[in-house]
Amino acid sequence: MFNLDTFKTYSRAVALGAVAVAAIAFAGPAKAAPVQLFPFFQPLPTMTAPQPYQPYQATPYQTAPSEDEDPAVMPARFRRQTVAYATREAPGTIIIDTPNTYLYYVLGNGQAVRYGIGVGRDGFTWSGIQSVTKKAEWPDWTPPPEMIARQPYLPRHMAGGPGNPLGARAMYLGGTIYRIHGTNAPDTIGKHVSSGCIRLTNEDVSDLYSRVNVGTKVIVLPMTERRAELGRTLR
């Protein structure tokens, strides 16, 4: 005879057994690796211990050598030096020894500061007596019309600076187009290369500039008055 209570008890037992089997099947072996729910995440990099602090050490700055430091550029006889120089001119006078490419700044008592210079090339030398009428630091350069006519490729104006042909200083002579000035081409010292101006290295022209005042007398000797070199250095 069918017993309803017995059937209900049996049904519950079967259901509980099915649930237990399903749970075991889902769990799998006890030692199985856990399922990665987000496999696209990359593991974090291994962190290393911080390095000890190292103070910044700059590479030593190498300055460019002075234009007068290379003997190939500036022969010893053209370096600035005090020499014996006999003259009746007053101290403070500038004498341009054109043929020997020297400039003398008279000190008096038979002494002068001698500088190596570059002078006018063949056909552009001149002589006479002038005076310094103007001084300028890092002067602009405006080539005169005579120079433009000979060299039309020259700039009509160039601002002062290291690349300017007039160099670091300029002293203008009377009402002429000539100047005593520096140069960005120190290898031309001792040569006849200019259009009539007198050039010194930037270091030397700065030294001369500090000694010279507006009104200083300047004597430019002609090429025909080549003098014996007075080279006894005093210091």
Side-chain angles (χ1 to χ4, degrees), residues 76-164:
R77 67 191 185 93
F78 291 133
R79 294 177 184 270
R80 181 175 72 248
Q81 52 196 290
T82 300
V83 299
Y85 189 74
T87 181
R88 295 181 179 178
E89 297 296 334
T93 303
I94 292 174
I95 300 175
I96 308 295
D97 186 350
T98 306
N100 290 312
T101 61
Y102 290 134
L103 181 151
Y104 292 92
Y105 179 81
V106 178
L107 297 175
N109 298 320
Q111 300 180 28
V113 180
R114 190 181 71 188
Y115 306 83
I117 58 176
V119 298
R121 60 186 181 272
D122 187 29
F124 289 89
T125 58
W126 59 283
S127 61
I129 299 176
Q130 294 290 338
S131 62
V132 174
T133 52
K134 176 183 174 182
K135 298 172 61 180
E137 299 184 8
W138 294 107
D140 294 347
W141 181 43
T142 303
E146 299 90 335
M147 185 177 291
I148 293 293
R150 294 191 303 269
Q151 301 167 285
Y153 54 84
L154 292 176
R156 277 24 180 192
H157 180 81
M158 181 180 291
N164 192 301

Side-chain angles (χ1 to χ4, degrees), residues 118-208:
V119 298
R121 60 186 181 272
D122 187 29
F124 289 89
T125 58
W126 59 283
S127 61
I129 299 176
Q130 294 290 338
S131 62
V132 174
T133 52
K134 176 183 174 182
K135 298 172 61 180
E137 299 184 8
W138 294 107
D140 294 347
W141 181 43
T142 303
E146 299 90 335
M147 185 177 291
I148 293 293
R150 294 191 303 269
Q151 301 167 285
Y153 54 84
L154 292 176
R156 277 24 180 192
H157 180 81
M158 181 180 291
N164 192 301
L166 296 187
R169 303 289 186 270
M171 288 152 277
Y172 297 77
L173 302 180
T176 72
I177 62 174
Y178 304 122
R179 290 149 290 197
I180 299 171
H181 62 78
T183 180
N184 57 12
D187 58 319
T188 61
I189 300 302
K191 300 177 181 177
H192 296 251
V193 292
S194 76
S195 294
C197 287
I198 309 302
R199 62 177 66 176
L200 297 84
T201 66
N202 283 333
E203 182 179 349
D204 281 355
V205 79
S206 297
D207 179 84
L208 180 64

Side-chain angles (χ1 to χ4, degrees), residues 46-80:
T46 303
M47 301 298 292
T48 58
Q51 297 296 317
Y53 171 72
Q54 296 291 337
Y56 173 74
Q57 295 182 352
T59 302
Y61 176 68
Q62 300 294 329
T63 58
S66 167
E67 63 185 19
D68 290 341
E69 289 179 358
D70 185 355
V73 173
M74 180 58 58
R77 67 191 185 93
F78 291 133
R79 294 177 184 270
R80 181 175 72 248

Side-chain angles (χ1 to χ4, degrees), residues 2-12:
F2 177 76
N3 190 322
L4 179 60
D5 293 333
T6 300
F7 178 77
K8 291 181 178 179
T9 300
Y10 175 78
S11 298
R12 286 196 296 271

